[in-house]
Amino acid sequence: MSNNLRVRWHAVGLICAQGVQGALMSPGAYVTLSVGLAITALVLRNTLRTVRTGYLSVISDPFLTPFLAMCLLGALYVALSAALSVGREREMGTLETLFYGPIGHLDYLVGKFVAHWLVFLAMLVAFSAGCIALSAMTHLRISTAIGGIVGLASVVALAFIGLGLVAATVMRSMRGSLLLFMGLVSAIVVVAGASYILNAVVAGRELLGLIPLRDAVYLLNRFVTWLSPVSYLLNGTDAAVRLNWAEWGRYAIGSLAYGLVALGLATSSLRRNGVMR
Amino acid sequence: MSDSMTGVEGANVAPVRTHDLTKEYDGRVTVNRVNLTVRPGEIYGFLGPNGAGKTTTIRMLLGLLRPTAGRVELFGQDLDQAGPELRERIGVMGEHAYLYDDMTALEYLDFFARFYRVPERASRCRELLERLDLGPFADLRARDFSQGMQRKLSLARAVLHDPALLILDEPVSGLDPYGIVQVRELLDERRAAGCAVFVSSHILSEVERTADRVGVIHRGRLLLEDSVDRVVGKLTTGLEVALELETAVPGLTLDLGQLPGVRITRDEGRVIVLHLDAEPTRSTVSQCVTRAGGVVVGMTVRRATLEEAFIQLTEGKLEQAGLVGGQDAKARASHEQ
């Protein structure tokens, strides 16, 4: 390994360690984990109550919704955390101080990228341990599909973090990064929601006048689906539940490619906008 | 520390060389074809009024800003092609301290010691903190530091890895006299170790004391680059002599004022301050005083300073540009001290 490469690896490792330490020292990760476990407890309580009252309940896996919710929450948290940590460093001017030293734009962002991914994995491991304990207590089983969701979420998180880093490098302030990231996520959710509602309304009430609008939103949603890490997670989960591993693999590879492309865009944006306060 | 880190192996290569370095913002040229060279083992003072283009030049030297035209060479390597290894040989103290305010002084230095792969980092960090009188505050968070202490911590970070090139922007700004002496000693030590130091400063008296050579930038142009003595010699003529007489001699200033090459700058009766165009006229002055019946009890000769040379240089340029008058330029230059 050349000395330049060794220096770069060292810098990536240091930024990564600093990022992991920063995320673990802040309450955000623990709050997200607690919310995920609270959702799980609530879902399981309702399932058990239904069973106790004698109603027939057909659920393929009671842990499916909690896992999906936790993966989504966790991925959103790490993406936001990545965006804010870069924005904060720029606002404080410490980003400039770092770039006085032996680090490149890509090295810095790779460090942040990996750090937040590791934090996501740690959250997922802790959450899974909690679910296994709950499964043992309640005798509600965890299905094979959950393994697929966890595996997919680990890759989709990279797409989320990449998107967060793009928001952080495009905007020059922490507030701007936050607003851009939230705006992107909200736009994705709004388009998907509008498409779903229009589809239901038009089909149910035969409102023919709304058909052009429905079609336009449908097309927009098809486009947004490609840009939305949320849809990668939902569609991949659907494939995992159907045990269609080939389709699951496509979503996993797509998410990985998404994350890497976002990392490339963030690097180019950081290079163009500079590291100065 | 290895030779490759201290840069000893490239003893004859200029640590900094710029080639027609130019930066434009929205069509306005802030740095205009600057060609400067920092030699190995020298302290180079980079001077200029506010807005002259000093910080922009420094940021281009560090690769934080991309030049519109021209290029930067550090240790003979084009900055655009240089890898991170080259940056390990540079120590930088920016205009602002920019510290991680949730870290203690020791944690901050330790982080950067790991970043720069400093061997025996714990002892090196402690040593530097003690050296800059920050030892008792090693466990205090950076946000609780005074401005002067933050500047010192920033300087400690810059020299932590024994760089071969130090780039300092206003290093003594906000420091008390003890701090200024500490910085001066540290820079002298670095120079003795073969390190090149590039200092941008407004405190000209400090630059005059420490720098081997200076470059003066004004309105984006490097007006001059030479040793301190030669810059002062080029831009100022003659000496300032303060005569202390036993008693005031009526009419003496008139006689003195008629001597060739002599100009009275102040008359306080027993003390007369003269400007002499050339050294030999001192004896003529002495004879003139004696002829008028005066007795000289003291004579203080003062050389022109870098500050005066700087004012002359920038004032001259401002006048040439026809933008402000001489008084305005003087007021501006004195304000910036």
Side-chain angles (χ1 to χ4, degrees):
Chain A
M1 198 192 290
S2 77
N3 202 27
N4 258 332
L5 207 57
R6 205 173 293 126
V7 172
R8 292 182 69 174
W9 269 115
H10 177 75
V12 168
L14 203 62
I15 295 298
C16 181
Q18 189 202 25
V20 170
Q21 192 187 356
L24 294 181
M25 297 291 275
S26 73
Y30 304 103
V31 170
T32 310
L33 190 59
S34 306
V35 170
L37 287 170
I39 290 172
T40 311
L42 209 66
V43 169
L44 294 187
R45 195 191 69 162
N46 285 343
T47 308
L48 291 173
R49 188 178 283 173
T50 310
V51 172
R52 199 177 58 194
T53 49
Y55 293 111
L56 178 65
S57 181
V58 182
I59 305 167
S60 65
D61 189 338
F63 286 93
L64 188 70
T65 307
F67 259 98
L68 200 54
M70 181 60 208
C71 290
L72 207 55
L73 279 175
L76 276 172
Y77 165 71
V78 288
L80 210 57
S81 169
L84 292 180
S85 75
V86 174
R88 185 165 179 262
E89 287 232 56
R90 188 199 286 278
E91 271 192 13
M92 285 171 63
T94 47
L95 191 59
E96 184 177 323
T97 313
L98 275 178
F99 276 79
Y100 294 157
I103 193 165
H105 298 86
L106 178 65
D107 312 335
Y108 173 76
L109 288 173
V110 167
K112 291 281 177 192
F113 192 71
V114 174
H116 288 87
W117 185 59
L118 291 177
V119 170
F120 178 80
L121 292 186
M123 283 166 69
L124 216 52
V125 167
F127 180 77
S128 301
C131 286
I132 288 168
L134 285 170
S135 170
M137 282 190 282
T138 58
H139 300 292
L140 293 170
R141 75 181 186 93
I142 297 175
S143 69
T144 329
I146 296 295
I149 295 170
V150 170
L152 180 73
S154 321
V155 191
V156 173
L158 293 173
F160 273 93
I161 297 166
L163 197 63
L165 291 177
V166 169
T169 51
V170 166
M171 305 307 285
R172 295 191 68 88
S173 70
M174 204 159 90
R175 196 171 153 210
S177 311
L178 180 70
L179 288 176
L180 180 63
F181 182 75
M182 294 310 286
L184 280 174
V185 171
S186 306
I188 286 166
V189 170
V190 165
V191 170
S195 177
Y196 178 80
I197 290 167
L198 278 171
N199 210 19
V201 166
V202 171
R205 300 184 188 170
E206 295 177 358
L207 298 171
L208 298 179
L210 286 178
I211 288 176
L213 178 65
R214 183 201 63 177
D215 290 349
V217 174
Y218 173 76
L219 280 176
L220 182 64
N221 190 38
R222 291 275 296 186
F223 173 69
V224 166
T225 302
W226 280 99
L227 296 178
S228 161
V230 179
S231 64
Y232 284 73
L233 182 63
L234 296 180
N235 293 334
T237 299
D238 186 47
V241 170
R242 287 185 281 113
L243 302 180
N244 184 343
W245 299 113
E247 193 182 331
W248 177 91
R250 280 202 297 277
Y251 284 110
I253 291 169
S255 302
L256 180 63
Y258 188 118
L260 295 178
V261 168
L263 181 64
L265 284 175
T267 307
S268 135
S269 172
L270 184 64
R271 201 168 278 142
R272 200 177 51 250
N273 287 338
V275 297
M276 288 179 302
R277 197 178 168 187
Chain B
M1 190 104 356
S2 70
D3 278 0
S4 67
M5 275 189 87
T6 54
V8 171
E9 86 287 0
N12 294 319
V13 180
V16 181
R17 175 166 285 157
T18 67
H19 302 269
D20 290 333
L21 197 63
T22 303
K23 182 71 187 174
E24 284 182 30
Y25 286 110
D26 304 324
R28 199 172 64 86
V29 182
T30 50
V31 174
N32 195 354
R33 299 174 65 108
V34 166
N35 293 293
L36 62 83
T37 306
V38 179
R39 296 173 186 156
E42 76 169 357
I43 298 182
Y44 183 100
F46 193 48
L47 315 175
N50 285 342
K54 296 192 299 292
T55 302
T56 306
T57 305
I58 288 178
R59 286 180 162 168
M60 286 193 283
L61 295 184
L62 297 172
L64 299 178
L65 269 183
R66 193 167 274 277
T68 312
R71 62 193 178 87
V72 175
E73 261 180 36
L74 298 180
F75 298 103
Q77 286 186 57
D78 197 297
L79 188 62
D80 281 344
Q81 267 108 57
E85 200 183 2
L86 179 80
R87 289 181 173 277
E88 273 197 320
R89 299 169 63 184
I90 305 169
V92 183
M93 179 186 182
E95 195 180 2
H96 305 283
Y98 294 149
L99 308 172
Y100 287 104
D101 55 11
D102 53 345
M103 284 186 187
T104 65
L106 194 58
E107 286 168 349
Y108 179 76
L109 285 190
D110 185 65
F111 173 74
F112 279 97
R114 279 188 288 150
F115 191 44
Y116 286 98
R117 304 186 297 165
V118 174
E120 295 169 19
R121 59 175 204 269
S123 57
R124 176 69 177 149
C125 295
R126 284 272 175 205
E127 175 208 334
L128 272 171
L129 287 173
E130 293 296 338
R131 177 75 201 276
L132 292 166
D133 287 341
L134 294 176
F137 311 104
D139 297 320
L140 195 68
R141 289 193 192 282
R143 63 169 167 246
D144 299 323
F145 272 28
S146 70
Q147 196 205 340
M149 288 159 77
Q150 289 188 356
R151 299 290 298 163
K152 283 188 190 176
L153 188 56
S154 183
L155 179 66
R157 192 223 343 108
V159 299
L160 191 60
H161 53 298
D162 286 338
L165 168 65
L166 255 179
I167 297 180
L168 312 173
D169 200 352
E170 300 293 348
V172 294
S173 155
L175 294 185
D176 59 24
Y178 297 109
I180 292 175
V181 171
Q182 283 169 338
V183 171
R184 195 185 300 150
E185 286 172 357
L186 205 60
L187 295 192
D188 282 341
E189 265 175 35
R190 296 304 311 147
R191 171 172 47 193
C195 170
V197 185
F198 181 93
V199 191
S200 157
S201 181
H202 276 131
I203 303 175
L204 301 188
S205 55
E206 196 51 40
V207 173
E208 191 169 11
R209 285 178 91 147
T210 51
D212 300 302
R213 292 194 311 136
V214 292
V216 181
I217 188 170
H218 186 54
R219 293 187 183 278
R221 281 188 173 278
L222 190 69
L223 301 180
L224 194 123
E225 186 183 56
D226 215 329
S227 70
V228 175
D229 287 342
R230 288 174 65 173
V231 167
V232 174
K234 268 182 199 171
L235 294 167
T236 58
T237 50
L239 304 163
E240 193 177 79
V241 177
L243 288 176
E244 193 185 344
L245 306 173
E246 196 176 55
T247 53
V249 181
L252 177 60
T253 47
L254 274 177
D255 294 347
L256 286 170
Q258 281 166 3
L259 293 175
V262 175
R263 190 160 41 86
I264 311 290
T265 45
R266 211 164 67 229
D267 180 8
E268 293 170 1
R270 277 188 61 234
V271 177
I272 301 170
V273 182
L274 314 165
H275 182 272
L276 309 186
D277 280 349
E279 180 77 11
T281 48
R282 267 200 283 178
S283 56
T284 323
V285 169
S286 188
Q287 286 164 13
C288 180
V289 173
T290 313
R291 272 202 307 272
V295 177
V296 178
V297 292
M299 185 186 276
T300 316
V301 180
R302 193 179 69 79
R303 268 179 77 238
T305 62
L306 181 61
E307 189 173 302
E308 285 158 346
F310 176 81
I311 290 171
Q312 278 204 20
L313 185 64
T314 52
E315 182 185 52
K317 286 288 160 186
L318 289 168
E319 282 177 334
Q320 269 176 31
L323 296 171
V324 291
Q327 287 305 311
D328 287 350
K330 271 180 190 163
R332 177 185 161 135
S334 71
H335 169 72
E336 284 164 7
Q337 306 321 304

